[in-house]
Amino acid sequence: MTTPALTAPAFHRPADLADALAHLAEHPGAVPIAGGTDLMVAVNYRRARPEAMLDLTGLAELRAWSDEGDAIRIGSGVPYARIVAELATVLPGLAAASRTVGSPQIRNRGTLGGNLATASPAGDGHPPLLACGARITIASTAGTRTVAADAFFTGPKRSVLEPGELITAVTVPKAAGPQQFLKVGTRNAMVIAVCSFALSLDLDARRLGTGIGSAGPVPLRAREAERIDLPWADPRRFDDALAAEFGRRVAAAASPMDDVRGTADYRRHALAVCAARALRRVWAAAHTEGSGR
Amino acid sequence: MSEGMRVRMRVDGAEIAADVDRPGESLLTSLRDRLGLTGSKNACEQGECGSCTVLLDGLPVCACLVATAQCEGREVKTVVGAVPRPVRDAFVACGAVQCGFCTPGLLVSVADLLDREPDPDDALIREALAGNLCRCTGYEKIIEAVHVAAEAMSDGVPRVPARSHLHHNQWINVTTFPRGDAETGEDTP
């Protein structure tokens, strides 16, 4: 019996990021792998047969986050479990979304960088990144570039990521007010979102940020909804009608389709409900006695 | 390298070398098919069911979603090496095992939970076990078993729960369960 030759580059464990980028430039067929929660499913089901892989789990610079003052720079290889455990205070929206990803086993492996690289319209990490105005750092041997989260996605499972490029970090502004993430699914764990919605409220800048998941070819912002006129000067004038109007605008921004997880009509309806609920929650949290603001 | 790639790791305390011939071979495949360590079960191969849960450097992960080649120099613990005896006994005593296929994965998840939270409430248990599917028990007996295991581990006294499925005159003292032969490594009597 002969074993097929597996030459050294077939599975490369780079020493550092520069080594990883050089390897990717030299071997464009090498598939980067971090947590493997998407890629290994494709491999196990023979939908992908990578001839070579590039292991990112050993790169310390991708597995750390840092405080940049008004933002947190999260290495692309930081698993969701750590985002939940370590960043819930400064990035409550992203932490809430991270907590809904898969199961404990998946959250121990899956990473924000992998979520972005897969670029599924249903990726749980995406809506809060859109709502917070996150920026994505991408590196190659040619250098580094930064892309706004709302310019990153170009289609279902497609992004601006070019061959030879690796996502190295995601920089997320610290919360300047309450944030929410709501996800609709068939159970509380281990579900791909039927639809999801993230909302961030910036009281000082008087600004709303939105992110819609799983209700369009790409994760979307609801720009018309972000421009809704809120009673910033007299918060008690906020009422359910305003929340409902916000919900309608969010639903109008979505462009969902019918699929196995739900119909387009259901998604629009659920988004309107989620968005109105999210707005009521952030508004109440921001204007409750003792909220400190 | 002309004879595949050799990956060295620690599995249940033993230094082990696995030869893989494709970069995407999963840890689960290597454990079961190359190393003959069949404690971790293969059900879905997509990270949904948790039957293949192992501890990788102390964290519960689905072995089917880890590439073996990512494990060079790392520590893997399967149901054989990760699970304290009281956890196993509690599962048996509480009727938390029916067909048994999900059991090894559940035991590893429970061992991890009790390591972090010695006395978890139901909500914590449900969240910790959300990634382990069981199609037989309806989970109630599993959750009961976790409480029983937590109690046994805190005071060292194994017990059968009051709400056990066993009739009172069928109660068994789990300490008298026949044990396997430790010398041959045989797991069952």
Side-chain angles (χ1 to χ4, degrees):
Chain A
M1 195 179 92
T2 57
T3 313
L6 189 74
T7 48
F11 195 96
H12 186 59
R13 294 184 208 96
D16 53 31
L17 183 58
D19 180 3
L21 294 173
H23 184 85
L24 205 54
E26 202 182 325
H27 307 278
V31 181
I33 179 170
T37 53
D38 281 323
L39 179 62
M40 288 300 287
V41 176
V43 169
N44 290 344
Y45 281 75
R46 312 290 191 268
R47 290 197 295 266
R49 294 169 187 270
E51 283 175 21
M53 287 164 112
L54 176 66
D55 184 20
L56 305 180
T57 53
L59 297 178
E61 55 256 77
L62 301 188
R63 296 185 70 82
W65 58 267
S66 57
D67 192 328
E68 309 277 299
D70 53 2
I72 302 287
R73 186 181 192 276
I74 306 172
S76 57
V78 175
Y80 288 111
R82 284 186 53 208
I83 295 175
V84 175
E86 298 165 23
L87 296 173
T89 315
V90 279
L91 305 176
L94 180 62
S98 301
R99 200 164 173 231
T100 74
V101 173
S103 62
Q105 292 93 322
I106 302 298
R107 293 194 290 276
N108 279 335
R109 292 287 290 173
T111 65
L112 211 46
N115 209 209
L116 286 163
T118 298
S120 160
D124 291 318
H126 307 150
L129 297 185
L130 292 173
C132 298
R135 299 185 66 79
I136 296 148
T137 307
I138 297 169
S140 70
T141 48
T144 298
R145 64 185 177 124
T146 306
V147 180
D150 62 1
F152 180 78
F153 306 99
T154 55
K157 303 207 172 181
R158 289 202 309 276
S159 71
V160 298
L161 203 60
E162 299 281 346
E165 288 187 323
L166 286 177
I167 299 166
T168 54
V170 182
T171 305
V172 190
K174 288 182 184 171
Q179 299 184 341
Q180 281 279 313
F181 176 77
L182 288 92
K183 173 175 168 180
V184 176
T186 45
R187 60 181 279 237
N188 272 338
M190 212 60 242
V191 290
I192 301 173
V194 175
C195 63
S196 62
F197 181 70
L199 180 63
S200 70
L201 178 71
D202 185 335
L203 272 181
D204 298 326
R206 298 193 165 181
R207 196 169 55 210
L208 285 176
T210 59
I212 297 171
S214 210
V218 295
L220 298 162
R221 277 174 64 188
R223 291 171 199 273
E224 276 304 310
E226 289 174 9
R227 284 194 277 269
I228 195 167
D229 195 18
L230 292 173
W232 300 100
D234 185 6
R236 283 164 305 175
R237 280 181 43 234
F238 183 88
D239 59 12
D240 284 353
L242 201 52
E245 169 60 17
F246 180 73
R248 274 192 291 278
R249 292 189 188 190
V250 169
S255 89
M257 61 174 192
D258 296 344
D259 69 10
V260 289
R261 296 198 300 280
T263 62
D265 281 349
Y266 176 74
R267 287 185 155 106
R268 264 197 210 90
H269 173 79
L271 269 176
V273 173
C274 287
R277 188 173 295 167
L279 185 59
R280 282 197 304 268
R281 285 182 181 172
V282 295
W283 197 261
H287 299 102
T288 305
E289 294 278 329
S291 69
R293 302 189 67 94
Chain B
M1 257 183 249
S2 60
E3 293 184 352
M5 183 183 206
R6 177 155 291 190
V7 181
R8 289 171 196 81
M9 54 191 165
R10 227 176 145 72
V11 181
D12 293 328
E15 298 291 343
I16 276 180
D19 293 316
V20 299
D21 55 22
R22 60 189 171 95
E25 176 168 317
S26 73
L27 176 60
L28 180 62
T29 299
S30 300
L31 288 174
R32 289 183 59 86
D33 301 344
R34 292 193 188 274
L35 302 169
L37 304 173
T38 52
S40 311
K41 302 305 175 199
N42 180 359
C44 76
E45 284 203 291
Q46 52 181 320
E48 291 270 350
C49 74
S51 297
C52 66
T53 303
V54 299
L55 301 183
L56 179 59
D57 287 346
L59 291 176
V61 302
C62 295
C64 70
L65 299 184
V66 177
T68 305
Q70 291 181 295
C71 299
E72 174 74 30
R74 305 187 66 179
E75 167 141 63
V76 177
K77 284 189 177 175
T78 73
V79 64
V80 173
V83 184
R85 183 88 201 191
V87 176
R88 197 166 115 184
D89 289 348
F91 265 63
V92 175
C94 295
V97 180
Q98 286 189 27
C99 89
F101 202 82
C102 69
T103 307
L106 273 161
L107 289 172
V108 173
S109 290
V110 172
D112 167 69
L113 170 66
L114 294 180
D115 192 42
R116 289 180 285 116
E117 296 280 344
D119 186 21
D121 61 18
D122 280 9
L124 266 178
I125 296 171
R126 285 178 188 277
E127 186 164 3
L129 303 187
N132 293 81
L133 296 182
C134 171
R135 300 290 76 160
C136 302
T137 63
Y139 302 102
E140 289 301 322
K141 291 177 187 301
I142 290 169
I143 290 166
E144 194 177 344
V146 179
H147 288 300
V148 168
E151 238 179 304
M153 285 172 75
S154 71
D155 60 16
V157 181
R159 55 177 62 73
V160 176
R163 288 182 293 139
S164 167
H165 68 298
L166 296 170
H167 190 265
H168 64 91
N169 62 9
Q170 290 177 297
W171 280 18
I172 42 176
N173 181 346
V174 291
T175 57
T176 63
F177 280 176
R179 307 236 170 171
D181 185 343
E183 283 183 5
T184 62
E186 213 24 72
D187 200 32
T188 46

